[in-house]
Amino acid sequence: MTRWSIAWTGSHEVVVDATPDQIWAVLTDVTRIAEWSHECRSAEWLDGAAGPEVGARFRGNNKVGRFGWSRVCTVTELEPGRTFAYRTDGGIPPDSTAWTFRLEPQFGGTRVTQSYEILKFARWMELATIALVPPHRDRSAALREDLLRLGDVAAGTDAVQN
């Protein structure tokens, strides 16, 4: 990654004191994402979906600083208690990112791994994002903190909403 590019892929992992089932319950209830995400302020299921299943869609509403945006997300992989993945689509020009969360029991808690891959992003939008949304240059620390908050929320030790 150079000063004038964004990391198009990344992976972050933490071990938290919540069980995989506790994490799963919070993670896959997209209406609770504001409790642990640093930028997603709300999400709602679309098309009559009431919960996660492959092909179900939801809309996430995000904000960083003075910039806000929303994306429609489609669940692409679902293995209860282990894997939750979705792809974002939208924007002008269109962009797309694949997000995957993997849960693994670990020493009485859970290893939570979050990975992402930007699938489509116009170069001029990448440059605009770098210039106008500095936190998106390197989101490693913020994404790691999100996972720690997810663990706290799932364990019932943090009920603060953004």
Side-chain angles (χ1 to χ4, degrees):
M1 183 173 76
T2 71
R3 183 171 180 228
W4 295 106
S5 67
I6 292 175
W8 281 52
T9 62
S11 182
H12 307 87
E13 71 178 42
V14 298
V15 175
V16 298
D17 290 331
T19 67
D21 287 341
Q22 288 173 309
I23 297 285
W24 183 258
V26 174
L27 177 64
T28 61
D29 181 353
V30 299
T31 66
R32 296 187 67 186
I33 196 167
E35 294 178 47
W36 56 271
S37 173
H38 73 283
E39 74 180 23
C40 192
R41 300 298 186 236
S42 67
E44 62 189 355
W45 291 106
L46 300 174
D47 311 319
E53 62 182 60
V54 172
R57 296 179 340 130
F58 62 95
R59 179 182 306 281
N61 301 295
N62 306 298
K63 187 169 185 185
V64 172
R66 64 182 184 258
F67 296 98
W69 66 97
S70 68
R71 293 292 179 269
V72 171
C73 307
T74 303
V75 177
T76 56
E77 187 178 350
L78 193 69
E79 184 180 349
R82 299 194 49 86
T83 305
F84 179 59
Y86 58 90
R87 183 189 69 249
T88 68
D89 288 296
I92 299 173
D95 59 62
S96 181
T97 303
W99 293 90
T100 302
F101 294 83
R102 298 203 187 284
L103 311 178
E104 177 185 351
Q106 187 82 24
F107 307 115
T110 304
R111 177 180 310 279
V112 183
T113 304
Q114 176 187 37
S115 58
Y116 69 90
E117 178 182 6
I118 297 174
L119 305 172
K120 183 183 346 178
F121 199 43
R123 177 66 176 153
W124 71 267
M125 272 304 285
E126 180 181 15
L127 292 171
T129 300
I130 290 165
L132 300 172
V133 190
H136 272 229
R137 291 179 191 157
D138 182 358
R139 299 171 61 195
S140 298
L143 293 173
R144 185 177 186 286
E145 290 298 317
D146 284 353
L147 296 179
L148 293 171
R149 272 191 304 279
L150 173 60
D152 288 345
V153 169
T157 59
D158 183 4
V160 176
Q161 292 197 9
N162 289 338

